[in-house]
């Protein structure tokens, strides 16, 4: 499948799998992105995951191992490789895959290379990546099961007692009616 090589806007409805995206500091990620380049000297990208897990401390994500040695800016027009990864799933803490280069060399991809949708780029001037999952197939969207209703043990036990009280009352009413 030939992927059109282009940089996309930052709106989540406009991005597609295979698009390259340039991210700047304080921007929110519109999709799950594989980090290919970073302006950081250590080739790291700092993200805030408060919207996913409530933690405001920064987490580090690293550029894919085969792109660590690039001295110049990443050019998507010159990129020619195949990325194979697992199907979209809701596990935020796991990502496995590999990238096959033109030379035939394979490099592994891990969770440390993936920027998740909804995270915010912090303390990194610029980062470039390729969209792995977009739309409703992102890990954050698959992980969102809607609101969870929590009930205490006492409340559940009380519901059972109320149920039995109603049954006994119906039996008594039926008995007295007969």
């Amino acid at each position: 499948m030939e992927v059109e090589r282009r940089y996309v806007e930052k709106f989540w409805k406009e991005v597609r799998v295979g698009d390259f995206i340039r991210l700047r500091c304080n921007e929110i990620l519109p999709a799950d992105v594989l980090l290919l380049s970073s302006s950081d000297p250590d080739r790291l990208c700092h993200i805030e995951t408060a919207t996913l897990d409530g933690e405001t401390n920064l987490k580090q994500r690293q550029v894919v191992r085969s792109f660590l040695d690039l001295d110049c800016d990443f050019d998507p027009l010159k990129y020619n490789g195949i990325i194979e990864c697992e199907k979209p799933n809701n596990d935020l803490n796991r990502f496995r895959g590999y990238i096959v280069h033109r030379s035939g060399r394979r490099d592994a991809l891990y969770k440390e290379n993936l920027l998740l949708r909804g995270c915010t780029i912090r303390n990194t001037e610029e980062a470039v990546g390729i969209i792995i999952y977009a739309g409703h197939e992102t890990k954050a969207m698959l992980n969102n099961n809607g609101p969870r209703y929590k009930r205490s043990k006492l409340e559940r036990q009380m519901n059972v007692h109320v149920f039995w009280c109603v049954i006994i009352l119906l039996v008594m009413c039926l008995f007295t009616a007969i």
Side-chain angles (χ1 to χ4, degrees):
M1 181 173 108
E2 183 63 30
V3 176
E4 179 183 342
R5 288 170 174 77
R6 64 185 178 111
Y7 284 114
V8 294
E9 292 297 319
K10 309 313 187 269
F11 304 111
W12 71 271
K13 289 183 180 182
E14 297 176 7
V15 298
R16 297 186 312 249
V17 172
D19 287 343
F20 290 92
I21 188 166
R22 184 182 311 262
L23 303 159
R24 290 184 172 68
C25 191
N26 298 324
E27 285 185 351
I28 297 174
L29 289 150
D32 292 347
V33 176
L34 184 66
L35 186 61
L36 300 178
S37 175
S38 174
S39 62
D40 186 75
D42 296 324
R43 299 290 189 223
L44 296 173
C45 181
H46 303 275
I47 58 172
E48 181 182 285
T49 60
T51 56
L52 296 178
D53 57 12
E55 295 182 19
T56 55
N57 58 332
L58 298 181
K59 294 177 178 60
Q60 293 180 346
R61 296 294 184 251
Q62 189 169 22
V63 171
V64 175
R65 183 174 295 139
S66 57
F67 293 93
L68 285 174
D69 302 329
L70 289 179
D71 294 330
C72 58
D73 289 337
F74 175 77
D75 185 10
L77 297 175
K78 295 179 182 175
Y79 175 74
N80 189 9
I82 298 171
I83 297 172
E84 293 186 17
C85 58
E86 60 192 11
K87 291 182 180 182
N89 58 51
N90 63 350
D91 190 356
L92 300 176
N93 296 316
R94 186 178 64 106
F95 176 71
R96 293 277 187 248
Y98 57 90
I99 186 167
V100 181
H101 298 283
R102 200 176 352 190
S103 63
R105 191 178 90 200
R106 292 171 58 156
D107 287 322
L109 304 174
Y110 303 103
K111 176 187 107 165
E112 290 77 29
N113 307 124
L114 189 67
L115 307 174
L116 296 175
R117 176 186 176 177
C119 296
T120 306
I121 303 289
R122 301 279 189 218
N123 298 345
T124 304
E125 286 293 317
E126 187 176 279
V128 176
I130 187 168
I131 295 177
I132 299 294
Y133 306 122
H136 294 286
E137 291 183 344
T138 60
K139 288 182 173 282
M141 290 291 280
L142 291 173
N143 197 33
N144 185 8
N145 297 331
R148 294 187 181 114
Y149 299 106
K150 294 183 178 178
R151 294 177 22 201
S152 68
K153 191 185 234 184
L154 179 65
E155 190 177 359
R156 287 191 301 265
Q157 196 174 27
M158 218 169 85
N159 285 344
V160 171
H161 291 304
V162 168
F163 174 76
W164 283 113
C165 285
V166 169
I167 295 295
I168 291 171
L169 185 63
L170 286 173
V171 168
M172 286 174 47
C173 287
L174 184 65
F175 180 74
T176 53
I178 291 175

